[in-house]
Amino acid sequence: MNNKGKKKKKQVITANIFEQQELLAKVEEIKSNLKASTWRELETKGKFSKNEKLTFISDDMLILGCDIGSETH
């Protein structure tokens, strides 16, 4: 078997300190605008139907879910 692999050179990634500062500033701005809500808090006028929930969600929202099961399934 003839195995002619190319050795990859280790590339050093240099980051400009100004770019890092810009990224940190963006992260802080995003963190300051984050808001956590539950569906119960949002459903002030009764329960949302499935379609109402889908239309309520916008592009700038991040939806997280957690499924807590029992010890035995």
Side-chain angles (χ1 to χ4, degrees), residues 10-67:
K10 292 183 180 179
Q11 295 180 352
V12 178
I13 299 173
T14 59
N16 188 348
I17 191 144
F18 296 114
E19 291 175 2
Q20 288 178 352
Q21 289 174 346
E22 285 178 20
L23 286 175
L24 290 174
K26 287 180 184 178
V27 167
E28 289 302 320
E29 182 182 341
I30 290 171
K31 280 184 180 179
S32 67
N33 292 329
L34 289 178
K35 179 182 169 188
S37 300
T38 63
W39 280 116
R40 284 190 179 163
E41 294 169 348
L42 298 173
E43 294 174 330
T44 56
K45 298 179 184 176
K47 290 204 168 235
F48 284 153
S49 68
K50 186 174 182 179
N51 288 337
E52 288 173 332
K53 282 184 181 179
L54 292 175
T55 56
F56 180 80
I57 298 169
S58 65
D59 290 339
D60 60 345
M61 289 184 176
L62 174 65
I63 307 297
L64 298 174
C66 182
D67 184 13

